[in-house]
Amino acid sequence: MAAIEGRVDALIRGFLRAEHVRSAAIFSIGPPESPIGAIMIATNHTSPFTPREISTCRLISELLSVNALTWLLHQQRDLAQQGRAALLDAVTDGVVTVVPDAGHAIPEGYVYSVNQTFSQLFNIDQVQGISLFQLLQMMRLTEETTNILLQEWSKIMVRNPSTQRGEFEM
């Protein structure tokens, strides 16, 4: 314990003394270049931890790291989605985002999002995840307009990063 005495603050030192800690191991949580926390394993035995115990504790810290980073990524994704939604809702035109289905289970792609204007224009809500064809059916378009839109969509190359723009009349 003397080896870490000067490396921990007074609160931790007080806790270690109160619990009569004789051996401790501290493991970083998160990537080495930017840790987000630490986990300490301690015992009141004077013998050092075995290599197996150290290995088990390291595995636990790595699992905690993966869990914490997954949570952070989900938070970042949610913030990005909120930002995207705010931008789309600021647009006065109706906007629908369609994602091509690489697995071809839904050949025409599926709806990723629509903005509020789109929802109000077509009196449609809760369309995320449905196929483009289902969305077009819900919009009550003419069969000709639906077919034209599906044909235009099918011309877009999946790997093409450009934004496709267009208008249609009802």
Side-chain angles (χ1 to χ4, degrees), residues 76-92:
Q76 288 175 349
R77 183 203 63 203
D78 291 347
L79 286 172
Q81 286 178 340
Q82 289 170 3
R84 181 192 42 77
L87 285 172
L88 283 178
D89 287 340
V91 175
T92 57

Side-chain angles (χ1 to χ4, degrees), residues 51-62:
R52 181 179 170 102
E53 290 170 327
I54 294 292
S55 177
T56 301
C57 292
R58 185 169 284 123
L59 178 62
I60 290 169
S61 75
E62 289 172 2

Side-chain angles (χ1 to χ4, degrees), residues 125-139:
D125 210 9
Q126 304 298 326
V127 295
Q128 187 173 6
I130 68 170
S131 73
L132 176 59
F133 180 76
Q134 290 171 314
L135 176 67
L136 295 174
Q137 295 296 311
M138 293 170 70
M139 292 169 60

